[in-house]
Amino acid sequence: MLYRVIDSQELPALVEAFMEDYEVIAPVESGASYAFEKVTSFDEIKLDYPTTITSCKKYVLPPRETLFKFDALNNEVTDFTVKVTPRVIFGAHACDINALNSLDMVFEDSRYRDPYYEARRGATLIIGISCTPTESCFCHLMEADEARTGYDLFLQDIGGRYLVSIGSVTAANVLESACNPREATDEDRIAFRQATRKRQESFNEEIPDVQEIAMLMDAFHSDPFWDELGSRCLACTACSSVCPTCFCFDIADTLGPDGKTGRRERIWDACTSPQFAMVTGGHNFRDSNRNRVRHRMYHKLNGFLATHDRMLCTGCGRCVRACKAHISPIEVLKFFEEKGA
Ligand code: SF4
Ligand code: SF4
């Protein structure tokens, strides 16, 4: 990995240089919170944001997208070409970069490559930035508090300047042309170490680290704990909507007004939705809130780990804030901490 240092005052020039060739998406104020939105000026960007309501997932996996169009009368299909906008996502936290890395594992799996996702992801540069954990962040427990891959540049704030990790030649060239990057000194490296330690010490210590969570979930698959969670779940699907790693989708065919032509769409879906597991004939193989909430937690903390060697949760804490019933991986971790004690 190549490292350089730039001064904080150089950031506007860096963003403006990206704006010459890319649409720039960055965290901005949105009501009482923050959101990733298109920006046209550096002044709109809030780089010291705690977190955003939703992640930048929608820029690589839109909530609704057309896969192809069809003519039902003549039995013809028109391939849909993805209209890709070259983008820079500027200011993604490490957890969200790790979430994109997990989505890559799913949608860029060589066995089932997804051309729609790949086209968008391939046209997107990721510029990460260091952060300070909020009280609902637990990315360090999910090994997602540092991004080792998946970014083009990563900016670590080391006080008045940034230690920049360079992940791609394209971004390095923009950095070189817009700023005056210099070699890191010993003083910079010490400042980096101090900033990293300070962040690590900022995590909420009340969120337990349960190393054997996956095994415990298997052992307590029928525990009344899941009934209790299910009895509280409102099936609102807010948890999946805000989650940077949830990727379930539905496929729907929509006919136009002529009743002959239409389009096939991919639409975000959620495993906490009552209809999610309903199949033809009306059978629902996950027919209770208990089963649906349990399934979601299992996929996050157990199932994905078994197949991809990592949790499908980055500990971003978004669902902790979104769930009106106070159901989240943190509650699951706390329950299993007691079980394992
Ligand atoms: S777990 Fe919470 S956010 Fe998710 S569907 Fe149930 S009530 Fe809604
Ligand atoms: S399950 Fe919750 S904490 Fe984990 S990645 Fe999804 S929104 Fe973030």
Side-chain angles (χ1 to χ4, degrees), residues 60 65-68 80 82 114-120 266:
V60 290
E65 69 177 319
T66 299
L67 301 178
F68 58 80
F80 187 77
V82 193
D114 185 297
Y116 306 90
Y117 178 93
E118 274 191 326
R120 290 197 181 86
R266 168 159 62 189

Side-chain angles (χ1 to χ4, degrees), residues 12 15-16 19 24 26-28 38-46:
V15 171
E16 281 162 21
M19 281 176 177
V24 175
V28 299
K38 178 183 172 183
V39 294
T40 53
S41 144
F42 178 79
D43 294 340
E44 297 169 55
I45 304 175
K46 300 293 176 193

Side-chain angles (χ1 to χ4, degrees), residues 138 239 242-245 296 300 312-319 329:
F138 55 103
C239 46
V242 300
C243 182
T245 60
R296 182 166 193 274
K300 294 285 172 201
L312 191 61
C313 171
T314 60
C316 74
R318 289 187 175 94
C319 63

Side-chain angles (χ1 to χ4, degrees), residues 162-224:
Y162 290 92
L163 182 71
V164 185
S165 312
I166 297 172
S168 79
V169 174
T170 304
N173 288 340
V174 177
L175 181 78
E176 191 70 41
S177 66
C179 307
N180 294 300
R182 60 173 172 78
E183 298 272 347
T185 63
D186 283 352
E187 195 185 337
D188 296 324
R189 284 185 270 271
I190 290 167
F192 170 72
R193 186 72 197 100
Q194 288 170 340
T196 303
R197 191 172 300 143
K198 189 175 170 198
R199 178 167 49 80
Q200 288 168 343
E201 290 169 354
S202 303
F203 283 104
N204 181 351
E205 290 180 353
E206 289 181 12
I207 304 173
D209 184 6
V210 185
Q211 293 279 325
E212 56 287 90
I213 181 73
M215 185 273 287
L216 285 169
M217 289 177 89
D218 282 338
F220 291 92
H221 190 258
S222 302
D223 195 276

Side-chain angles (χ1 to χ4, degrees), residues 13 104 131 146 220 225 249 274 304 306 325:
D104 290 350
C131 55
E146 285 179 26
F220 291 92
F225 170 67
F249 56 81
F304 198 80

Side-chain angles (χ1 to χ4, degrees), residues 23-198:
E23 177 180 281
V24 175
I25 306 296
V28 299
E29 277 182 333
S30 176
S33 189
Y34 299 85
F36 280 104
E37 298 292 351
K38 178 183 172 183
V39 294
T40 53
S41 144
F42 178 79
D43 294 340
E44 297 169 55
I45 304 175
K46 300 293 176 193
L47 282 179
D48 58 348
Y49 72 107
T51 188
T52 50
I53 302 167
T54 59
S55 73
C56 42
K57 177 179 74 177
K58 65 183 176 185
Y59 293 103
V60 290
L61 187 66
R64 176 182 284 263
E65 69 177 319
T66 299
L67 301 178
F68 58 80
K69 295 179 180 171
F70 60 81
D71 181 331
L73 196 64
N74 298 310
N75 203 23
E76 288 172 356
V77 168
T78 311
D79 277 349
F80 187 77
T81 311
V82 193
K83 192 164 174 260
V84 171
T85 305
R87 282 197 182 105
V88 170
I89 295 177
F90 196 97
H93 288 166
C95 62
D96 283 344
I97 295 173
N98 280 301
L100 288 172
N101 290 342
S102 291
L103 295 180
D104 290 350
M105 286 179 155
V106 175
F107 290 98
E108 296 186 347
D109 182 323
S110 58
R111 293 168 299 171
Y112 325 103
R113 303 192 85 89
D114 185 297
Y116 306 90
Y117 178 93
E118 274 191 326
R120 290 197 181 86
R121 186 70 164 104
T124 305
L125 300 185
I126 306 292
I127 313 301
I129 195 154
S130 56
C131 55
T132 303
T134 70
E135 64 174 351
S136 48
C137 290
F138 55 103
C139 52
H140 60 314
L141 304 181
M142 301 291 129
E143 298 182 8
D145 56 325
E146 285 179 26
R148 297 194 179 91
T149 60
Y151 59 80
D152 296 86
L153 299 176
F154 194 95
L155 311 173
Q156 168 70 51
D157 186 350
I158 53 173
R161 60 211 193 278
Y162 290 92
L163 182 71
V164 185
S165 312
I166 297 172
S168 79
V169 174
T170 304
N173 288 340
V174 177
L175 181 78
E176 191 70 41
S177 66
C179 307
N180 294 300
R182 60 173 172 78
E183 298 272 347
T185 63
D186 283 352
E187 195 185 337
D188 296 324
R189 284 185 270 271
I190 290 167
F192 170 72
R193 186 72 197 100
Q194 288 170 340
T196 303
R197 191 172 300 143
K198 189 175 170 198

